[in-house]
Amino acid sequence: MGGTTTAIDRSDKPGHIGIILLVAGVLVGAAVALGFIANEWAQPLILGLLALLSVIGVFGLFAFAIGLIQFTGRAARNDLTKTVVDHADEGIVVTEGENGIVYANEAYLALAGAKGASDLRPVGSLFTGRAEVSEAIYRLAAAARENRRLAEEIRLEPALNGRDAVGWYRIKVAPVRRDGRPATLWAVAEVTPERERQENAFQELQHAIDYLDHAPAGFVSIDADGEVSYLNATLSGWLDFDLARFGSGGLHLDDIATPGTAALIQAIRGQPGDVRIEVLDVDLKRRNGAPVPVRLHHQVAFGSDGRAGPSRTLVLNRKQGEASLDGDSEAEIRFARFFHSTPMAIATVDRAGAILRSNAAFARLTQAGPQPATIHDLVTADGGLERALAETMEGRTDTAPLDLTLAADDTRSARLYLAPVTAAEASDGESAIVYALETTAERKLRDNMDQAGKMQAVGTLAGGIAHDFNNVLQVIINASEFLLASHRPTDPSFPDIMQIKQNAYRAAALVRQLLAFSRRQTLRPQVLELGDVLSDLSLMLKRVVADKVTLDVRQGRDLWPVKADLGQLEQVIVNLAVNARDAMADGGKLTVRTRNIAREECAGFGHAALPADDYVLLEVEDSGTGISPEHLDKIFEPFFTTKEVGKGTGLGLSMVYGIVKQTGGFVFCDSVIGRGTIFRIFLPRHVPSEEEIAAEAAIKEAPKKLAADHTGAGVILLVEDEDAVRALNARMLVSRGYTVHEAASGVEALDVFLQHDGRIDLVVSDVVMPEMDGPTLLGELRQRNPATKVVFVSGYAEEAFRKNLPEGEDFQFLPKPFTMKQLVETVKAAMA
């Protein structure tokens, strides 16, 4: 490359000719001077001068021989290094200042097309004027000025040699120092052949990708986490997915495979270093969910840690007409698909219980953990499995199914059916077939139904007890009122009678709690703003929780209205606050929160019994001792308590449960020992109807009524099966001026009504009676006199028997136990 040009080196500084002339002048002057000196002095001086010059000459020869003196320049240099640089393939240029070239090797002269130093140009000038490289040259020049290194690759059209259409050049700049002064080293290399090789390789890669993308088979790569790292265009077309999705996170195995297929693929396990190849006839799924029958040749390599690497999976389309491509019959393909698509888990085992083959549903039984090697590893304990397997392998077909708990998750269970494999059917040591159905959901449903049935039975018992207690309390309260009316406060027996009355009311409160649990108490629901209810209760709650407990009330914004009995709802909140206080004997924090819960948020709470709907959530959370798991399922049962004797009736939470349920809501409890408990009450959102809106407006506009007169006149038919209750109620009404006819049953009441030709102004009847109950009696009376007015008296809720009456039936209701004042007020209002 350097046949016509040689490297240009201006780094050496040769001797100046003036020095030679000076030396010559000195010698000539010395010779002339000797001519004027006397002859006797001239000869010794000439000999001395010649001797000096001889010594200098001899010393110079020896110094030159050993390299101490060089005549090619003042700066000694390494000739080998210079030779290497002079003949380097890469163009080398050293500059001082902006454009002063100190050195240029032969390769650079060839690149620049320079014949000599006169037409040599620096790198910046060599590429000046080419717009496509101006920015790169500017960056290189800036780096040179700032004494820093930089490398750029530029593309020229045409190349510097003028023959090639395109040229690629790699230019590097680096700072150097020469004789203590800064200089710049430029290196220019033509890399066009290298670039052409890269482009050719890239084109070949593009062709390979294009062939792979449009091959008549699908290709997919899936990693251990189920992420799809590659999907070719053919498979993408089959599944109707856009490959552009890979740029924003890509697809997951669950997006392209049915649940059974996904479970089967991810269930493949191997030892460290293994390479597993599985052939699976399964279904993938299109973007719209439609199945695509395929055969997978699934290859997975396992690393040294046993973790599966990205798969190499070949996908063959098994749609109708293509099933015989590899010689297998369509019937075999269909069977394989059905085998892996069935919801029943199926596996074959040998005589030792080792699992030989299994389907996708079987893989889903243990998808959270490693696949079991034997059928015994599938369940937590034997539970009769060993005996059942032995019987099955002996050929018995009547082995009873087994309900067992799965080893991978003790909250899940399955029912196993065993069937023998005959000798003619056996292959690879198969001795039995295991069919399994997961029964987790069924078990939870059964447990919930058992719990609900138990609560209903206890509620029925509690309601029956409460009804009988109400009759007893009614007599005690009424008798004590009569005694108080006939005794002055100064009488010695007056305090005792008052004590009887107060304890009767206390017993009545306990009965109401029983009725609340059985959901048979009378509620007076009204539309409420839960935030207002909590605001009104805040002061009471602060007094309830005492000084050691911090109360934190957090109200949600824009709470929806709810419809509930105000008094009962307040009782629910207070009861929960009292329980929380008792759980924090050493102090703590009680948090009461409210917020709206939209129907789509319900599933996030994980309560199967909570239907999706709009609710207002009331949460009461404490930081107390917590409730143990064995007690958590019993806390809402009546009379169950963990408190010491005399410190709790066990009716508080049962009352909460009953009130919430009767209101149409749901209550759940979560607790952790040592961390605290949280009660969540979901109250349905109330959407007022047009009738309710109109009725509310009418109530606001109606004038206030004057206080009613409790005295009256009229004929009343009093129906009550409890003699003591009937006698006292009749005595109350007679004392207020009414005429009272008594009846001990519905049949007797009907006879009395007929004896008086229906001239009865008001019927006051119990609801629960032998022979004929209150609603039936009302129907008979309406047939004889449609205008008959009725007041029902009961310890049960009004709603408990209203459903047994014709829609729109008009009557008054008075819950037991009641006072004399309440009775006469109700009678007066009914007869008005």
Side-chain angles (χ1 to χ4, degrees):
M1 90 187 273
T4 58
T5 60
T6 58
I8 297 174
D9 189 352
R10 297 170 177 167
S11 61
D12 290 340
K13 295 184 178 179
H16 199 277
I17 191 170
I19 299 176
I20 298 175
L21 294 176
L22 178 62
V23 172
V26 170
L27 292 176
V28 172
V32 173
L34 289 174
F36 293 97
I37 299 175
N39 290 335
E40 62 273 16
W41 292 102
Q43 186 174 1
L45 288 174
I46 290 171
L47 291 175
L49 179 61
L50 289 175
L52 177 62
L53 291 175
S54 298
V55 171
I56 293 173
V58 172
F59 177 78
L61 288 175
F62 278 103
F64 178 76
I66 65 175
L68 185 63
I69 297 176
Q70 296 180 1
F71 297 108
T72 57
R74 280 189 278 179
R77 63 170 179 257
N78 189 327
D79 289 334
L80 177 62
T81 302
K82 184 177 186 307
T83 301
V84 171
V85 177
D86 284 346
H87 297 87
D89 294 334
E90 190 177 42
I92 304 295
V93 181
V94 179
T95 62
E96 288 183 345
E98 289 290 335
N99 297 312
I101 297 178
V102 176
Y103 172 82
N105 70 348
E106 296 177 11
Y108 183 76
L109 293 175
L111 283 172
K115 301 299 183 182
S118 60
D119 58 350
L120 184 62
R121 292 179 293 168
V123 176
S125 300
L126 185 63
F127 294 97
T128 298
R130 302 180 186 274
E132 63 270 25
V133 299
S134 59
E135 291 186 5
I137 296 300
Y138 174 80
R139 291 193 294 270
L140 289 166
R145 288 192 299 270
E146 297 169 4
N147 293 323
R148 56 185 176 86
R149 295 176 178 270
L150 185 63
E152 295 277 357
E153 283 194 8
I154 60 176
R155 183 178 185 273
L156 289 180
E157 293 184 6
L160 285 175
N161 58 22
R163 298 186 303 272
D164 298 328
V166 177
W168 283 90
Y169 303 91
R170 183 181 296 117
I171 305 174
K172 295 183 286 186
V173 63
V176 295
R177 298 191 68 81
R178 197 178 72 84
D179 294 336
R181 296 191 302 273
T184 304
L185 173 66
W186 295 78
V188 183
E190 185 176 2
V191 293
T192 305
E194 179 183 338
R195 276 291 184 171
E196 289 177 348
R197 287 193 300 271
Q198 291 177 353
E199 289 187 357
N200 291 336
F202 181 74
Q203 289 295 330
E204 292 175 0
L205 180 61
Q206 286 294 101
H207 290 155
I209 293 175
D210 183 66
Y211 295 149
L212 185 62
D213 263 351
H214 299 91
F219 292 93
V220 64
S221 180
I222 306 163
D223 64 19
D225 297 323
E227 297 294 333
V228 178
S229 54
Y230 174 74
L231 186 76
N232 75 338
T234 301
L235 183 56
S236 175
W238 291 348
L239 303 181
D240 192 26
F241 279 103
D242 185 0
L243 288 177
R245 285 192 58 182
F246 288 101
S248 59
L251 296 169
H252 191 272
L253 178 59
D254 294 335
D255 297 324
I256 65 172
T258 61
T261 302
L264 198 62
I265 290 174
Q266 293 190 308
I268 297 175
R269 301 289 187 268
Q271 298 298 322
D274 282 357
V275 177
R276 294 281 302 275
I277 299 178
E278 298 284 343
V279 179
L280 307 172
D281 290 300
V282 292
D283 284 350
L284 298 182
K285 67 178 180 182
R286 292 172 59 85
R287 185 162 54 89
N288 61 4
V292 178
V294 296
R295 166 166 284 188
L296 302 181
H297 292 263
H298 186 69
Q299 176 180 304
V300 185
F302 295 87
S304 57
D305 58 352
R307 180 176 173 82
S311 74
R312 305 292 185 265
T313 306
L314 173 68
V315 184
L316 300 178
N317 198 331
R318 287 304 191 183
K319 66 181 181 182
Q320 188 70 24
E322 297 185 9
S324 59
L325 289 177
D326 58 358
D328 290 331
S329 68
E330 293 186 9
E332 291 175 340
I333 301 299
R334 285 197 299 271
F335 172 77
R337 290 179 56 215
F338 296 154
F339 177 67
H340 291 300
S341 300
T342 176
M344 175 171 280
I346 305 174
T348 58
V349 298
D350 61 14
R351 300 197 69 83
I355 298 173
L356 303 178
R357 294 180 180 83
S358 61
N359 67 345
F362 192 89
R364 286 200 300 271
L365 287 177
T366 54
Q367 58 185 346
Q371 291 296 302
T374 70
I375 194 64
H376 304 289
D377 299 333
L378 180 67
V379 295
T380 55
D382 180 71
L385 180 59
E386 189 71 40
R387 178 183 55 80
L389 274 174
E391 293 177 354
T392 301
M393 291 176 185
E394 291 173 359
R396 293 184 57 176
T397 59
D398 58 348
T399 304
L402 305 172
D403 289 308
L404 302 173
T405 302
L406 298 181
D409 185 354
D410 58 8
T411 64
R412 299 171 60 200
S413 60
R415 173 167 289 185
L416 271 59
Y417 301 84
L418 305 179
V421 176
T422 63
E425 298 172 335
S427 64
D428 298 333
E430 293 176 343
S431 298
I433 303 175
V434 179
Y435 303 91
L437 279 176
E438 185 168 359
T439 58
T440 304
E442 290 79 357
R443 188 182 68 177
K444 288 182 178 179
L445 179 60
R446 184 174 63 250
D447 292 344
N448 290 338
M449 292 181 64
D450 291 345
Q451 179 69 11
K454 180 175 68 174
M455 298 293 276
Q456 183 177 0
V458 175
T460 302
L461 175 62
I465 295 173
H467 175 264
D468 292 337
F469 265 71
N470 271 331
N471 284 332
V472 175
L473 293 173
Q474 184 69 66
V475 174
I476 296 173
I477 291 173
N478 291 351
S480 62
E481 285 188 336
F482 277 118
L483 289 173
L484 289 174
S486 60
H487 287 71
R488 293 189 300 274
T490 56
D491 290 344
S493 57
F494 190 89
D496 297 331
I497 300 172
M498 182 61 71
Q499 188 72 19
I500 293 172
K501 181 181 178 181
Q502 289 175 351
N503 279 277
Y505 280 127
R506 182 180 175 187
L510 294 176
V511 171
R512 280 196 298 273
Q513 291 181 352
L514 283 173
L515 287 172
F517 171 77
S518 62
R519 287 176 257 172
R520 296 182 180 181
Q521 67 171 346
T522 300
L523 297 181
R524 296 290 182 239
Q526 56 182 303
V527 179
L528 301 172
E529 297 290 343
L530 195 54
D532 297 339
V533 175
L534 269 181
S535 297
D536 295 340
L537 273 180
S538 295
L539 290 176
M540 178 187 294
L541 291 177
K542 288 180 180 179
R543 290 194 296 268
V544 166
V545 300
D547 296 334
K548 293 183 179 180
V549 177
T550 302
L551 176 64
D552 183 12
V553 179
R554 301 181 183 181
Q555 295 275 29
R557 301 181 63 181
D558 301 324
L559 293 179
W560 294 322
V562 297
K563 193 170 187 179
D565 186 303
L566 175 60
Q568 299 294 346
L569 185 58
E570 290 177 341
Q571 190 65 31
V572 165
I573 299 172
V574 171
N575 257 293
L576 293 178
V578 169
N579 282 352
R581 177 203 63 194
D582 294 342
M584 298 182 288
D586 298 327
K589 183 178 181 180
L590 172 63
T591 305
V592 182
R593 292 183 293 265
T594 58
R595 63 186 176 101
N596 294 330
I597 300 296
R599 63 173 58 244
E600 56 269 15
E601 298 179 65
C602 293
F605 289 93
H607 299 299
L610 181 66
D613 205 347
D614 291 339
Y615 298 96
V616 177
L617 173 63
L618 170 65
E619 292 181 314
V620 180
E621 181 177 7
D622 65 65
S623 58
T625 56
I627 303 172
S628 61
E630 61 269 18
H631 292 156
L632 204 55
D633 294 336
K634 303 177 181 179
I635 58 174
F636 293 119
E637 296 179 6
F639 309 114
F640 177 81
T641 180
T642 58
K643 298 178 182 179
E644 299 176 8
V645 177
K647 292 189 176 182
T649 62
L651 291 173
L653 288 179
S654 66
M655 183 204 68
V656 169
Y657 178 86
I659 292 174
V660 172
K661 285 295 184 180
Q662 196 170 355
T663 305
F666 300 87
V667 57
F668 302 100
C669 177
D670 292 318
S671 186
V672 178
I673 292 293
R675 293 179 56 184
T677 304
I678 179 170
F679 283 89
R680 293 186 178 94
I681 297 175
F682 296 84
L683 297 175
R685 176 186 182 181
H686 176 69
V687 180
S689 62
E690 294 181 0
E691 292 79 4
E692 288 176 323
I693 295 174
E696 184 177 355
I699 291 174
K700 291 181 179 179
E701 296 175 0
K704 294 183 178 179
K705 297 181 179 180
L706 299 174
D709 181 10
H710 291 164
T711 61
V715 180
I716 297 176
L717 174 57
L718 180 62
V719 188
E720 171 63 59
D721 59 329
E722 288 285 340
D723 295 339
V725 175
R726 184 178 66 253
L728 287 171
N729 290 343
R731 183 178 173 186
M732 286 184 188
L733 294 173
V734 170
S735 67
R736 295 296 179 177
Y738 295 101
T739 301
V740 179
H741 300 293
E742 299 181 32
S745 66
V747 175
E748 185 179 341
L750 191 58
D751 293 339
V752 173
F753 188 83
L754 295 175
Q755 291 173 8
H756 292 81
D757 296 328
R759 292 191 295 272
I760 302 294
D761 298 316
L762 179 67
V763 177
V764 179
S765 174
D766 194 5
V767 174
V768 180
M769 296 181 296
E771 298 183 21
M772 181 184 293
D773 60 12
T776 305
L777 174 61
L778 177 61
E780 295 291 336
L781 295 177
R782 286 278 192 258
Q783 292 179 7
R784 290 160 177 78
N785 184 1
T788 302
K789 298 177 181 180
V790 176
V791 172
F792 279 126
V793 177
S794 178
Y796 292 142
E798 177 181 340
E799 290 77 9
F801 61 88
R802 179 181 283 276
K803 59 186 179 182
N804 297 324
L805 295 173
E807 186 176 353
E809 189 67 67
D810 184 28
F811 64 89
Q812 297 285 338
F813 180 75
L814 182 62
K816 289 182 180 179
F818 49 81
T819 64
M820 182 187 299
K821 179 181 178 182
Q822 290 172 330
L823 176 61
V824 295
E825 283 180 346
T826 303
V827 169
K828 186 78 173 181
M831 296 182 65

